[in-house]
């Protein structure tokens, strides 16, 4: 008569249950005190599923091989899940991983327009803008793709450009990337940069001709510094949650300009210096925060909002 092993399998389950409980308790302590035992290689969601499947298969084969260790599939699955939890809680994962870099550049000998209109949106990531003295450069835009391990694959970049009515239109999008923009000298630019989650930092000098500047961040800080710029008609900075800092040293500015800064939650810091013969309007609004201004030669004309006009 064939021997029934079902009773033996139930009796051996307690060993698996105790080991599973110990692993789960240790995992909780590691998470509670933020302790990491080792650094695990980069994994994504599908690799985690594959890891769980492999561990379950190994346990089913080893612990039930030839009926030497009798355990039910339910307790085996629980022990495999507890082991995966222990590995994930005791391992250190990078917050984000830098992937490939996509470059887009244009030189003066290939430029057929007199104005470039740059519009860039990244859902998650920082945007950095700087200037170059290279006379052959129009722009150099690079997307440093990033992703969060376990949650998403490498980000996507869409870059479009076309020339219409003597204006080079650039429309770029990325779901998750840090964007670096380098502007060449002596080309009139219209700049519109936005990020949903991230910071926007701009620092350009007098070699760059900026007609219109628009910077926006839903969650993040905005810092813009203009030094020696000779052409500037309007500036618009907008942040939902974060601080806004705008420094403009425009003693060589040749035309009037308007600056509009809006912030929902956060502080606003403004320092503007323009020449005596230039008109400049400034308006700053923050719903929850403070506005600190250093305005030379301006007169306050706003009642409920901070609004100033430069006295010529």
């Amino acid at each position: 008569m064939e021997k029934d092993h079902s009773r033996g399998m139930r009796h051996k389950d307690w060993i698996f249950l105790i080991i599973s409980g110990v692993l789960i308790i240790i995992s909780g302590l590691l998470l509670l005190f933020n302790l990491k035992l080792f650094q695990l290689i980069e994994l994504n969601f599908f690799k985690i599923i594959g890891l769980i499947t492999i561990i379950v298969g190994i346990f089913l084969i080893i612990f039930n091989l030839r009926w030497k260790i009798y355990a039910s599939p339910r307790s085996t699955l629980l022990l495999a899940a507890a082991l995966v939890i222990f590995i994930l809680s005791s391992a250190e994962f990078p917050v984000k991983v830098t992937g490939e870099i996509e470059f887009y550049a244009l030189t003066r000998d290939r430029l057929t327009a007199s104005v470039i209109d740059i519009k860039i949106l990244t859902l998650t990531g920082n945007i950095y803008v700087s200037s170059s003295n290279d006379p052959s450069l129009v722009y150099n835009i690079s997307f440093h793709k990033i992703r969060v391990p376990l949650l998403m694959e490498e980000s996507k970049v869409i870059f479009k450009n076309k020339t219409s009515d003597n204006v080079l239109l650039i429309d770029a999008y990325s779901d998750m990337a840090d964007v670096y923009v380098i502007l060449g000298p002596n080309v009139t630019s219209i700049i519109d940069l936005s990020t949903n989650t991230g910071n926007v930092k701009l620092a350009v000098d007098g070699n760059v001709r900026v007609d219109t500047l628009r910077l926006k961040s839903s969650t993040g800080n905005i810092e813009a510094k203009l030094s020696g710029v000779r052409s500037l008609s309007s500036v618009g900075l907008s942040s939902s949650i974060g601080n806004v800092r705008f420094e403009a040293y425009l003693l060589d500015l040749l035309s009037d300009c308007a600056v509009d800064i809006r912030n929902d939650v956060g502080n606003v810091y403004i320092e503007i210096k323009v020449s005596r013969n230039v008109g400049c309007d400034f308006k700053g609004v923050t719903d929850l925060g403070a506005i600190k201004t250093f305005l030379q030669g301006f007169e306050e004309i706003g009642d409920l909002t901070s609004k100033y006009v430069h006295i010529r």
Side-chain angles (χ1 to χ4, degrees), residues 226-239:
L226 305 174
S227 179
V229 175
R230 305 183 69 182
S231 61
L232 180 68
S233 61
S234 65
V235 175
L237 309 182
S238 175
S239 176

Side-chain angles (χ1 to χ4, degrees), residues 157-223:
V157 173
I158 300 176
F159 190 92
K160 300 179 181 178
N161 63 79
K162 67 176 181 178
T163 300
S164 177
D165 297 331
N166 204 30
V167 177
L168 175 60
L169 303 174
I170 298 172
D171 192 356
Y173 164 85
S174 174
D175 53 1
M176 195 169 186
D178 288 335
V179 185
Y180 293 82
V181 180
I182 302 176
L183 300 174
N186 302 323
V187 178
T188 302
S189 304
I190 300 173
I191 303 173
D192 188 345
L193 309 176
S194 302
T195 176
N196 288 353
T197 303
N199 302 318
V200 181
K201 294 184 179 182
L202 177 143
V204 297
D205 56 24
N207 292 322
V208 177
R209 296 178 182 176
V210 181
D211 178 76
T212 303
L213 177 63
R214 296 284 182 268
L215 305 179
K216 181 179 179 181
S217 176
S218 298
T219 305
N221 301 321
I222 296 178
E223 296 181 14

Side-chain angles (χ1 to χ4, degrees), residues 145-163:
K145 298 180 180 180
I146 54 179
R147 62 187 176 89
V148 178
L150 308 179
L151 299 180
M152 63 176 294
E153 295 294 335
E154 194 168 74
S155 61
K156 298 179 180 178
V157 173
I158 300 176
F159 190 92
K160 300 179 181 178
N161 63 79
K162 67 176 181 178
T163 300

Side-chain angles (χ1 to χ4, degrees), residues 72-99:
S72 65
R74 182 176 58 184
S75 62
T76 304
L77 292 175
L78 178 60
L79 180 57
L83 182 59
V84 172
I85 294 174
F86 172 75
I87 293 175
L88 295 181
S89 60
S90 60
E92 182 178 0
F93 291 93
V95 177
K96 65 179 183 179
V97 177
T98 303

